[in-house]
Each structure stands twice: as structure tokens, then as C-alpha cells.
Amino acid sequence: MYYQYTSDMRAIVKTAGTILISILLSYPLWAPEWGRGILGEIEAWGMPGGLIAVAVFLGLVALYCRVLQRTMTLVRPDARTASPTSVWWMFAIPYNFTEDFFIVRAVSTSLAADGQVTSGFIRRWAALGYGWCAFQILSLFPGMAGYVGGAIALLLWAAHWIMTARVNRTLATRNPAAPLAHSL
């Protein structure tokens, strides 16, 4: 019964979050006086600048997902709370803005269950992860709040990525023969 309740609650939170993010992403349509939104920002780079910026950003997200997938691959299978490939939900826009919180939670609970990394490190890792998730949502807001939120999100994301690489090195010392093929 508890599993069904938590599963249902997760589905409700993910659905409601995706709806709210979709409303926020569409503000240029219903509140054009607030600005042009993220698509306007990309358009401001011109062509091919906007296309290059999007491609570079998505490439970085792919590399980050690869590192997180490696983390989940290095976690003992019996300690995993999600599949290593589940981190690729970060590409499911606009669902990903809500799902990213759940990805951070799944990786952190898997790390905790694995027992190879200290609980203090996992708490800091999770806090940074939740931080970049929250600030990436703030980055969708119009004006200065969006710019500041985006800048903070990128800094937290970079710090989280560095910490994830450290976790992977720690986990790999226990299991140096973990297949690299699973990290892609």
C-alpha cells in the first residue's frame, strides 16, 4: 500500500510540475510584456549562433547524463533505486524540469544504500543537485530573476558534475572492472 501511495504521489507531482513548467515556458504567449522567454534568448544569438549554443548545451547535458549513468552503473545493483539509463530523462523537455529532482533523489538514495560514499558527502552532493534543479526552474522566469537563476544553476550544475566525477572515482576503486560500455 505504501509503495502504491508513493508511486501515485510521484506521478501527481511529476504531472503537476510538468504542467506548471509548461505554463512558465509559454509566458511569451500569454504575457508578452514580460519578454520573449528562452526561445527569444536563443533567437537573439542569431543564426547559426543560436543553433550552436543549443547544440553545445545539449552536448554538455549528454556528457553529464553519461557521468550520472556511470555513477548508477558503479553502484551495486542491489542498492540501485532506479535504472542507470533513467538519467536520460533529462532530455524529456518540459518533463525534465520536474524529473531532474527525482533523478538526483534516485542517485543519492542509491549511493546511500551502496554504502561506499560517506553520508556527509551524499548530503552535500544531493543539496547541490537539488540546488541546480531549483535554479534551472528560476532561470525560466522573465527578467533579471531568470538571468541570475540561470547563472547560479550553471555554477551549481558544474560543482555537482565535479562532485559526481569524484563519486565515480571512489566507486571505481571498489569495482575497477565495471564495464565502460554501460556508461554510454
Side-chain angles (χ1 to χ4, degrees):
M1 183 69 175
Y2 173 77
Y3 175 76
Q4 183 61 39
Y5 172 76
T6 58
S7 179
D8 291 346
M9 286 304 297
R10 277 195 300 266
I12 290 168
V13 169
K14 289 178 182 185
T15 301
T18 301
I19 290 168
L20 292 172
I21 291 297
S22 297
I23 291 169
L24 186 57
L25 282 169
S26 67
Y27 77 77
L29 300 174
W30 50 267
E33 66 276 10
W34 291 358
R36 298 182 319 171
I38 188 69
L39 294 178
E41 296 298 325
I42 293 168
E43 183 183 5
W45 285 68
M47 196 53 160
L51 184 61
I52 292 169
V54 169
V56 167
F57 179 74
L58 292 177
L60 289 171
V61 173
L63 292 173
Y64 177 70
C65 286
R66 195 171 159 200
V67 169
L68 283 177
Q69 183 177 359
R70 178 81 174 137
T71 305
M72 291 297 282
T73 301
L74 289 168
V75 166
R76 287 188 341 266
D78 63 311
R80 294 180 194 147
T81 60
S83 162
T85 58
S86 66
V87 301
W88 292 93
W89 280 106
M90 286 188 185
F91 277 96
I93 299 168
Y95 174 74
N96 70 306
F97 286 90
T98 305
E99 181 63 19
D100 289 347
F101 289 96
F102 289 91
I103 291 169
V104 170
R105 177 164 169 63
V107 176
S108 65
T109 56
S110 297
L111 287 170
D114 184 79
Q116 185 74 12
V117 181
T118 67
S119 60
F121 188 90
I122 295 169
R123 278 192 306 276
R124 289 187 301 279
W125 182 91
L128 268 178
Y130 293 135
W132 76 253
C133 291
F135 280 101
Q136 88 170 335
I137 291 173
L138 183 61
S139 76
L140 300 176
F141 281 75
M144 190 53 67
Y147 290 119
V148 171
I152 294 171
L154 288 173
L155 291 172
L156 293 176
W157 184 42
H160 193 256
W161 196 339
I162 291 166
M163 286 185 80
T164 304
R166 287 181 59 200
V167 164
N168 289 353
R169 282 193 301 274
T170 298
L171 293 173
T173 61
R174 172 191 63 208
N175 188 8
L180 290 173
H182 289 109
S183 68
L184 187 183

